[in-house]
């Protein structure tokens, strides 16, 4: 036995370093839906100013990186979001926020399944009705892999992520070398109106969505600074790929064609390199799914498991198969994703997913910024990373992110000249359902669990196993005679 | 605060219970890990050597290079190893701190869940 304070904490045998953490962060954010996100940015940004919106998005993402770096330093755990929102605003709000936030995972998995299915169907020149079969097949493969406990090693994940990002940049450079490059009004971000430019920025911020999920790997990082570095480097990599793709798309693919397509990356590949480029981008699209399905299923299913173990979801969600995988959580996620993907497939409203995801993510950034401000007042512990000018940046962030959430929540994904409350309604419905569950269902579940425990103790089927501690005699003090 | 003797007694019971649980052994058959534990209140440290799901040793002090490091107060460890405490709520409140991969953290909790599902 030894005094732990006397020595530095022991190093883990398999700790995550900066390169892997950065890949995890960028890989979680750069999904197939990002290509549609870039199209949405281009739709709302006037002329060829999408790059400018994405640059502004990068600036905002770096503020988010600072917010989550400080929060992660305070609570370096996979349960981070739940923990710091809970400490700042109470358990009920934290549960409502995290349940709503987790629906983003379902949306992203569903979106990726849909987009990849549509891309495969397009490249193979199949009937469009077959796309949903591809979607189901992809989800089935992802579910089976998760149920078997197959997870990507950090090194494989890094290779996949850097391949996707490098391929996107390379194709974009090739596209930009094609003759006839012209940039019409590259600085006219607000040329179609202030609101339109603001919405372009909201969608640009969505391109970085989920990069902060790397904080869930904080427990396996070599040091807290590894996560901080990843949070600051990953947005820059995403920015490079997104900017290149936006410029290439503007150069080679007519705006109307990209707006109406579920696979703009294939169109750019085709325009830049013909059939080779199309197949290349299909391979890149499929690779994005490796990260989405691996990271998304893992994060969300383990969240459901932990919530069930804590008594905040039915206990069945904690049931484990013989590979220690919470199988009901995984299957539920897969079914929910298949249903959402089916609705998107039937309605053709894939851009709605982008708007809903953008609104949800901006709202979460607002909550994170508010939590940081509150914890600055109530938690005086030293932080490994302390955000500079937090009252201004995080305070301004609360206002800005709320504004961006509203801007994307009231955007019409199919017509930038009009407004639609549908994305906001979807987000509000998810939040209200989460709140009602936390406010009305959970207390009943907790009361029932407490009653079961009392009954089990009374019946003698659940008794304390730890032996009672032997009574100790207190040492008499010097002015207290022993009797 | 729990003494080292109390923790050792709890660890012995935990080892017997885990190693005697067929379902757990099957579930953890591919799990070979070195665990380090730190009592935040007493400073006591101990290790757990798990090979193919079997706990083969629980020596005092830190032995080998850890895959997982768990920090909590001594009472929490005692209650957890006796099966009187579900560790997940304490983990989610930050009262049990774990360093290690997400998968290993879940496996660790899964052990408690499988052998004491009603805790």
């Amino acid at each position: 036995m030894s005094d732990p304070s006397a020595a530095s904490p022991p190093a883990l045998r398999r700790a995550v370093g900066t390169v892997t953490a950065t890949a995890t962060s960028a890989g979680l954010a750069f999904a197939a839906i990002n290509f549609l996100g870039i199209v949405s940015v281009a739709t709302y940004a006037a002329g060829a100013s999408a790059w400018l919106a994405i640059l502004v998005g990068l600036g905002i993402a770096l503020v988010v990186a600072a917010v989550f770096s400080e929060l992660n330093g305070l609570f370096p755990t996979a349960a981070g979001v739940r923990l710091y929102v809970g400490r700042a605003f109470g358990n009920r709000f934290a549960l409502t926020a995290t349940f709503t936030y987790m629906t983003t995972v379902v949306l992203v998995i569903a979106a990726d399944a849909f987009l990849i299915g549509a891309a495969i169907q397009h490249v193979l020149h199949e009937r469009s009705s077959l796309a949903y079969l591809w979607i189901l097949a992809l989800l089935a493969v992802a579910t089976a892999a998760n149920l078997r406990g197959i997870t990507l090693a950090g090194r494989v994940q890094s290779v996949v992520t850097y391949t996707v990002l490098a391929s996107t940049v390379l194709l974009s450079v090739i596209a930009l070398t094609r003759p006839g490059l012209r940039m019409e009004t590259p600085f006219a971000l607000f040329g179609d109106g202030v609101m339109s430019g603001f919405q372009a920025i909201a969608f640009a911020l969505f391109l970085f969505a989920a990069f902060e999920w790397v904080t869930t790997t904080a427990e396996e990082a070599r040091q807290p600074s590894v996560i901080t570095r990843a949070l600051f480097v990953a947005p820059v990599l995403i920015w490079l790929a997104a900017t290149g793709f936006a410029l290439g798309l503007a150069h080679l693919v007519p705006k109307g064609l990209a707006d109406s397509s579920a696979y703009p990356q294939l169109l750019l590949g085709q325009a830049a390199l013909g059939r080779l480029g199309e197949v290349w981008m299909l391979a890149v699209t499929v690779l994005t799914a490796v990260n989405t399905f691996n990271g998304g299923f893992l994060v969300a299913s383990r969240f459901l498991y932990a919530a069930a173990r804590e008594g905040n979801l039915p206990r069945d969600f904690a049931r484990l198969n013989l590979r220690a995988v919470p199988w009901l959580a995984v299957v539920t996620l897969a079914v929910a994703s298949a249903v959402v993907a089916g609705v998107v497939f039937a309605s053709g409203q894939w851009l709605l997913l982008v708007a809903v995801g953008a609104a949800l993510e901006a709202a979460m950034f607002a909550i994170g910024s508010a939590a940081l401000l509150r914890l600055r007042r109530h938690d005086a512990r030293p932080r490994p990373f302390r955000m500079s000018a937090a009252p201004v940046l995080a305070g301004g962030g609360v206002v800005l992110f709320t504004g961006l959430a509203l801007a994307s929540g009231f955007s019409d994904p199919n017509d930038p000249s009009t407004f639609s409350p549908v994305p906001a309604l979807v987000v509000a419905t998810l939040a209200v359902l989460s709140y009602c569950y936390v406010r009305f269902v959970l207390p009943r579940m907790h009361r029932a669990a407490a009653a079961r425990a009392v009954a089990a103790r009374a019946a003698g089927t659940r008794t304390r196993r730890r032996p009672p501690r032997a009574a100790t005699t207190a040492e008499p003090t010097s002015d207290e005679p022993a009797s | 605060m729990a003494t080292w003797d109390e923790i050792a007694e709890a660890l012995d019971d935990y080892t017997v219970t885990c190693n005697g649980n067929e379902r757990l052994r099957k579930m953890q058959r591919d799990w070979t890990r070195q665990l380090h534990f730190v009592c935040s209140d007493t400073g006591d440290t101990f290790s757990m050597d798990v090979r193919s799901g079997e706990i083969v040793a629980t020596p005092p002090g830190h032995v080998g290079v850890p895959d997982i490091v768990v920090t909590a107060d001594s009472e929490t460890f005692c209650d957890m190893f006796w099966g009187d405490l579900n560790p997940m709520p304490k983990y989610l409140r930050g009262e049990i701190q774990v360093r290690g991969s997400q998968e290993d953290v879940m496996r660790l909790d899964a052990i408690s869940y499988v052998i004491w599902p009603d805790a």
Side-chain angles (χ1 to χ4, degrees):
Chain A
M1 286 173 279
S2 62
D3 177 7
S5 61
S8 57
L12 296 178
R13 190 197 311 269
R14 283 180 289 264
V16 167
T18 302
V19 173
T20 304
T22 304
T24 303
S25 178
L28 286 166
F30 205 84
I33 197 171
N34 274 39
F35 295 117
L36 289 186
I38 295 167
V39 170
S40 292
V41 176
T43 302
Y44 283 91
S49 66
W51 71 274
L52 187 55
I54 297 170
L55 184 62
V56 175
L58 170 67
I60 299 172
L62 292 177
V63 173
V64 176
V67 167
F68 281 86
S69 289
E70 179 164 335
L71 293 171
N72 175 67
L74 267 180
F75 304 104
T77 158
V81 176
R82 169 74 199 291
L83 202 49
Y84 50 69
V85 175
R87 293 278 171 94
F89 304 113
N91 195 41
R92 186 178 289 171
F93 183 82
L95 272 175
T96 304
T98 41
F99 278 132
T100 309
Y101 192 34
M102 277 300 139
T103 58
T104 318
V105 180
V106 174
L107 291 182
V108 171
I109 292 173
D112 256 37
F114 167 77
L115 297 174
I116 296 162
I120 293 172
Q121 171 263 325
H122 170 76
V123 170
L124 298 182
H125 304 296
E126 294 173 339
R127 281 183 292 125
S128 61
S129 56
L130 283 179
Y132 194 63
L133 286 182
W134 280 110
I135 293 167
L136 292 180
L138 284 165
L139 285 173
V141 170
T143 306
N146 274 276
L147 288 175
R148 291 186 63 79
I150 298 170
T151 53
L152 284 189
R155 202 169 294 171
V156 178
Q157 201 174 352
S158 300
V159 169
V160 167
T161 300
Y162 292 127
T163 302
V164 167
L165 292 171
S167 290
T168 307
V169 171
L170 186 58
L171 181 83
S172 304
V173 170
I174 292 170
L176 289 170
T177 58
R178 292 285 177 256
L181 179 63
R182 62 185 189 284
M183 295 275 283
E184 288 174 7
T185 57
F187 297 101
L189 178 55
F190 297 97
D192 289 340
V194 173
M195 193 59 202
S196 188
F198 197 59
Q199 285 172 315
I201 294 170
F203 286 115
L205 184 60
F206 173 68
L207 303 179
F208 303 91
F211 83 101
E212 77 284 4
W213 286 1
V214 71
T215 54
T216 60
T217 62
E219 287 157 343
E220 48 190 316
R222 270 190 205 117
Q223 297 158 347
S225 59
V226 164
I227 301 297
T228 298
R229 279 197 288 272
L231 281 167
F232 280 97
V233 176
V236 176
L237 300 180
I238 296 163
W239 167 74
L240 268 175
T243 302
F245 188 81
L247 291 173
L249 204 65
H251 174 41
L252 288 186
V253 181
K255 212 168 183 175
L257 191 60
D259 288 352
S260 59
S261 170
Y263 30 79
Q265 70 278 24
L266 302 190
L267 300 183
L268 182 61
Q270 166 77 35
L273 287 173
R275 181 73 176 166
L276 173 67
E278 193 179 59
V279 173
W280 181 17
M281 287 316 283
L282 176 65
V284 167
T285 309
V286 173
L287 274 183
T288 64
V290 174
N291 276 341
T292 307
F293 289 160
N294 179 61
F297 269 99
L298 205 65
V299 169
S301 64
R302 280 21 172 200
F303 167 79
L304 294 178
Y305 169 84
R309 284 283 283 145
E310 199 189 10
N312 289 328
L313 277 178
R315 291 176 53 175
D316 287 344
F317 282 102
R319 281 192 183 181
L320 300 166
N321 66 12
L322 280 177
R323 294 179 188 273
V325 175
W327 64 269
L328 186 61
V330 169
V331 170
T332 302
L333 281 170
V335 171
S337 302
V339 170
V340 174
V343 171
V344 172
F345 176 74
S347 65
Q349 294 292 317
W350 54 81
L351 290 177
L352 180 63
L353 289 180
V354 178
V356 170
L360 271 170
E361 197 67 18
M364 202 59 215
F365 291 163
I367 290 170
S369 302
L372 181 133
L373 290 174
R374 203 168 164 85
L375 289 170
R376 277 279 178 104
R377 287 198 293 273
H378 298 294
D379 192 333
R381 283 181 298 153
R383 285 105 159 115
F385 177 90
R386 196 173 173 86
M387 183 184 187
S388 302
V392 176
L393 290 176
V398 175
V399 177
L400 177 65
F401 298 136
T402 305
L404 291 171
L406 291 172
S408 41
F410 285 92
S411 64
D412 184 340
N414 299 309
D415 184 359
S417 63
T418 60
F419 294 97
S420 165
V422 176
L425 281 175
V426 173
V427 174
T429 304
L430 293 172
V432 167
L433 285 175
S434 296
Y435 175 76
C436 288
Y437 175 76
V438 172
R439 176 74 179 79
F440 302 110
V441 180
L442 264 189
R444 282 186 207 170
M445 281 174 58
H446 290 167
R447 278 196 299 273
R452 274 199 307 273
V454 169
R457 274 196 291 273
T461 55
R462 184 168 154 187
T463 53
R464 191 168 162 81
R465 296 185 73 247
R466 184 176 170 182
R469 188 173 280 157
T472 54
T473 309
E475 290 286 331
T477 56
S478 55
D479 56 352
E480 188 180 28
S483 55
Chain B
M1 281 195 290
T3 64
W4 166 246
D5 287 341
E6 286 177 291
I7 292 175
E9 189 185 1
L11 268 174
D12 287 345
D13 182 78
Y14 183 77
T15 302
V16 170
T17 310
C18 286
N19 290 347
N21 188 304
E22 282 300 314
R23 180 173 159 75
L24 181 66
R25 292 287 299 275
K26 201 168 179 183
M27 186 185 286
Q28 304 283 68
R29 62 192 178 279
D30 58 347
W31 206 61
T32 296
R33 295 289 186 273
Q34 190 71 26
L35 292 87
H36 283 185
F37 295 86
V38 180
C39 298
S40 54
D41 51 349
T42 62
D44 285 346
T45 59
F46 53 100
S47 304
M48 184 180 287
D49 187 359
V50 182
R51 291 184 195 169
S52 303
E54 182 185 8
I55 300 174
V56 294
T58 56
H62 282 167
V63 177
V65 182
D67 298 289
I68 308 164
V69 180
V70 188
T71 306
D73 63 63
S74 54
E75 284 292 325
T76 297
F77 279 134
C78 257
D79 285 341
M80 190 176 92
F81 290 132
W82 276 114
D84 291 328
L85 178 134
N86 172 358
M88 187 55 83
K90 279 193 174 262
Y91 167 70
L92 291 176
R93 287 198 299 268
E95 293 166 22
I96 296 177
Q97 290 162 7
V98 188
R99 289 184 62 222
S101 75
Q102 285 183 69
E103 203 50 40
D104 285 341
V105 173
M106 213 206 85
R107 290 263 192 158
L108 197 55
D109 178 75
I111 294 174
S112 293
Y113 181 49
V114 171
I115 55 180
W116 296 297
D118 292 325

